[in-house]
Amino acid sequence: MSQANHASDGKLKIAIDPVTRIEGHLKAEVLVKDGKVVDAWLSGGMFRGFENILTGRDPRDSAQLTQRLCGVCPTAHSTASCRALDDAFNVELTTNGRVTRNLIFGANYLQSHILHFYHLAALDFVRGPNKAPFVPRFPHPDLRLDEKTNAVAVDQYVKALEIRRICHEMVALFGGKMPHISGQVVGGTTEIPTKEKLQEYASRFKVVQKFVSEVYVPTVYLIGSVYKDLFEVGGGYKNCMAYGVFPMNDKESEFLLKPGVYIDGKDEEFNSDLIREYVKYSWFDDSCSDLHPSKGKTVPQVHKEGAYSFCKSSRYNKKPVEVGPLARMWVQNPELSPMGKKQLKELFGITANKFRDLGDMAFSIMGRHVARAEEAYIVANAIGDVWLDEVKPGEETFVESEIPASAEGIGLTEAPRGSLLHYINIKDSVTANYQMMPATLWNTNPRDDMGQRGPVEEALIGCPVPDENNPVNVSRIIRSFDP
């Protein structure tokens, strides 16, 4: 639902409430002048309070309870929580434990990226039948695909539902169930991979991998070729951060997608000590501001003057940074898929070998979709070429450990939609403090104490809104971040 209010200075304020086809509760307000956004505010409307729920509980409960934060990325929260517990319990995983976790999380990555493109974002570009879930839509939603291409895309929408089910089955084979897996715990996983289960996983994976490489990746480029102007919309700060995800050795010194930071045009090594949260414009007490997660507090203040969101403003070295597939691809700068290179040459006339060859095109609505598809291709290759070969049937995946009387631990990983941090402090063998910084809090946060907009707010600046009744590009930008 969108509403527009005219002001005497020629500016127009448009509110989209709620922003649909995302997980969670988000309101967007933009100020438009001369057909372009000149200011923006994003409001996260739900207080979840899991940090307070976990206080005083058995520390191991966190790996289960934190999965309930999010309907689409419980596996990511399980992974971050288990990594925090591994750190606090001072436990090192077996090779099989590490690889089995990668197989669980990798399948979830593929499911999540396919979900985002086909079932959340695609209807910004594809006209479905005039019935739910394809309606309601804006009166004139700027849908440009020809009839034949559009029909193929709708068929893919349906096929993607089946592929996502198969991904869920892959997760459940070693995670126990999906959503909200039970098979990932401090010290590894509870399921020892047998030859039979590995065969079941591999047979399903072949179907998913074929869909990713032969359907998903080329479709993203094809749609992008019809919406080339959207490679110039939604750039934002062009600052990127990634924690690193999918450890490739038992020391966890190498990752499939490495940690790193790119700020003000320069690459930097990632340093978790530089992370802070600010709350000047968030519905939290001011005592929660300018704190590292290890000192973090969760004290809501719902009537706070000037505040407009339950998202804290996450910052790295006081800078807003974008997280997610675009950030990971920019930090990693991998070689593009063969199909990506081919499509860029044939559809765009561009010769590109690595992701950064896209230049400013990457920082855009369509650039984020390209990054997500290319990342799915990379994760699929790692499953098929590395982890399925590396896992040892019948070997242990779990290391026993005792609850420490006092300890602290930090769990860093990358949810499909961006950098995810869990922190735990244990005293008297129970949780004394638990803090979480989900990916969406990095992207869709409000202004910070220094007055800087959040990354998505900044990406909305300059967004074309030629018709106040059809602010479709506002929604496209927001959904490109997969909040």
Side-chain angles (χ1 to χ4, degrees):
M1 177 180 177
S2 65
Q3 294 180 330
N5 294 307
H6 292 267
S8 57
D9 58 0
K11 294 179 180 178
L12 171 70
K13 197 169 197 177
I14 300 175
I16 302 176
D17 186 16
V19 178
T20 56
R21 283 187 275 120
I22 65 169
E23 198 285 334
H25 306 74
L26 186 67
K27 173 185 177 181
E29 287 187 306
V30 294
L31 195 63
V32 177
K33 186 175 183 180
D34 299 327
K36 290 188 176 182
V37 172
V38 295
D39 211 344
W41 301 263
L42 291 185
S43 175
M46 173 176 276
F47 173 67
R48 297 186 289 196
F50 276 76
E51 296 88 348
N52 298 340
I53 292 171
L54 290 166
T55 301
R57 298 185 68 105
D58 186 316
R60 296 168 298 186
D61 289 351
S62 63
Q64 283 299 312
L65 294 182
T66 58
Q67 292 187 60
R68 275 70 185 172
L69 262 85
C70 180
V72 295
C73 53
T75 308
H77 284 289
S78 169
T79 300
S81 182
C82 286
R83 289 177 65 83
L85 292 170
D86 292 341
D87 189 29
F89 284 47
N90 194 28
V91 59
E92 294 183 7
L93 273 60
T94 66
T95 298
N96 245 25
R98 170 182 61 82
V99 177
T100 303
R101 278 189 182 178
N102 283 348
L103 290 173
I104 291 171
F105 203 15
N108 176 250
Y109 249 70
L110 298 180
Q111 184 279 143
S112 184
H113 285 356
I114 292 167
L115 158 68
H116 175 261
F117 180 70
Y118 282 101
H119 302 131
L120 300 180
L123 298 187
D124 288 336
F125 313 102
V126 177
R127 180 180 293 278
N130 289 320
K131 57 184 178 181
F134 303 98
V135 293
R137 60 173 74 96
F138 289 123
H140 301 287
D142 182 32
L143 301 176
R144 310 176 194 173
L145 298 183
D146 63 74
E147 187 174 341
K148 182 179 178 181
T149 304
N150 193 85
V152 171
V154 172
D155 288 343
Q156 289 182 15
Y157 177 103
V158 177
K159 179 65 176 179
L161 291 168
E162 178 189 351
I163 299 299
R164 286 178 53 212
R165 173 183 58 78
I166 295 171
C167 290
H168 281 321
E169 291 173 352
M170 290 164 62
V171 174
L173 280 166
F174 301 123
K177 62 188 182 73
M178 185 64 192
H180 307 131
I181 62 174
S182 56
Q184 189 164 253
V185 294
V186 56
T189 67
T190 62
E191 182 75 21
I192 294 178
T194 63
K195 288 184 179 180
E196 292 76 16
K197 283 206 169 184
L198 285 169
Q199 288 171 351
E200 289 187 40
Y201 185 104
S203 65
R204 288 169 170 81
F205 168 68
K206 289 179 181 178
V207 177
V208 178
Q209 186 178 39
K210 182 179 176 68
F211 182 86
V212 169
S213 61
E214 298 182 10
V215 180
Y216 176 26
V217 172
T219 298
V220 169
Y221 283 100
L222 176 60
I223 289 179
S225 70
V226 179
Y227 292 87
K228 288 183 179 180
D229 56 309
L230 298 187
F231 279 101
E232 300 176 358
V233 176
Y237 290 111
K238 300 179 183 178
N239 293 336
C240 297
M241 184 190 72
Y243 291 158
V245 65
F246 300 117
M248 300 298 282
N249 59 16
D250 293 349
K251 293 183 179 180
E252 299 195 353
S253 58
E254 297 180 8
F255 294 84
L256 177 67
L257 301 170
K258 67 182 181 181
V261 182
Y262 179 85
I263 292 183
D264 296 336
K266 296 180 181 179
D267 290 296
E268 302 177 10
E269 287 191 12
F270 169 73
N271 181 356
S272 63
D273 292 340
L274 299 179
I275 294 172
R276 294 290 186 277
E277 291 182 298
Y278 297 91
V279 301
K280 181 176 181 179
Y281 294 96
S282 307
W283 287 308
F284 291 96
D285 189 82
D286 287 341
S287 65
C288 303
S289 203
D290 195 12
L291 299 178
H292 185 269
S294 62
K295 307 294 183 183
K297 300 178 182 178
T298 307
V299 185
Q301 187 179 341
V302 295
H303 300 298
K304 181 176 175 180
E305 186 176 352
Y308 61 95
S309 180
F310 271 121
C311 292
K312 296 179 181 178
S313 296
S314 307
R315 296 290 181 265
Y316 182 87
N317 201 14
K318 297 187 177 181
K319 293 278 190 174
V321 291
E322 176 174 345
V323 301
L326 167 56
R328 290 190 291 265
M329 292 296 94
W330 193 263
V331 167
Q332 181 74 19
N333 193 25
E335 188 167 332
L336 293 167
S337 65
M339 179 58 73
K341 294 177 186 178
K342 179 182 177 183
Q343 297 279 72
L344 282 169
K345 187 68 174 177
E346 293 180 355
L347 299 174
F348 296 84
I350 295 172
T351 299
N353 292 313
K354 291 196 168 186
F355 187 80
R356 288 198 187 186
D357 291 343
L358 295 173
D360 286 346
M361 284 177 59
F363 294 92
S364 65
I365 293 173
M366 293 309 306
R368 292 186 184 93
H369 291 299
V370 166
R372 191 170 281 105
E374 289 287 343
E375 182 175 72
Y377 179 83
I378 291 171
V379 173
N381 282 349
I383 291 174
D385 297 341
V386 183
W387 302 327
L388 280 173
D389 289 337
E390 196 176 10
V391 68
K392 303 298 182 185
E395 291 192 10
E396 186 58 73
T397 61
F398 173 70
V399 177
E400 290 190 18
S401 58
E402 298 293 330
I403 301 174
S406 62
E408 62 178 347
I410 190 167
L412 301 173
T413 191
E414 289 283 322
R417 53 205 40 81
S419 302
L420 174 60
L421 180 154
H422 282 220
Y423 167 83
I424 188 169
N425 186 292
I426 300 169
K427 292 181 180 178
D428 299 324
S429 298
V430 299
T431 300
N433 187 18
Y434 203 97
Q435 293 294 314
M436 289 167 282
M437 295 178 68
T440 294
L441 268 66
W442 280 102
N443 284 333
T444 64
N445 55 66
R447 286 156 172 76
D448 57 29
D449 294 26
M450 293 76 76
Q452 301 172 108
R453 301 183 188 93
V456 178
E457 290 181 338
E458 184 68 17
L460 287 166
I461 305 304
C463 169
V465 185
D467 180 357
E468 66 184 64
N469 295 312
N470 295 279
V472 61
N473 287 323
V474 173
S475 297
R476 282 171 171 164
I477 288 174
I478 295 170
R479 275 192 281 270
S480 74
F481 284 84
D482 191 16

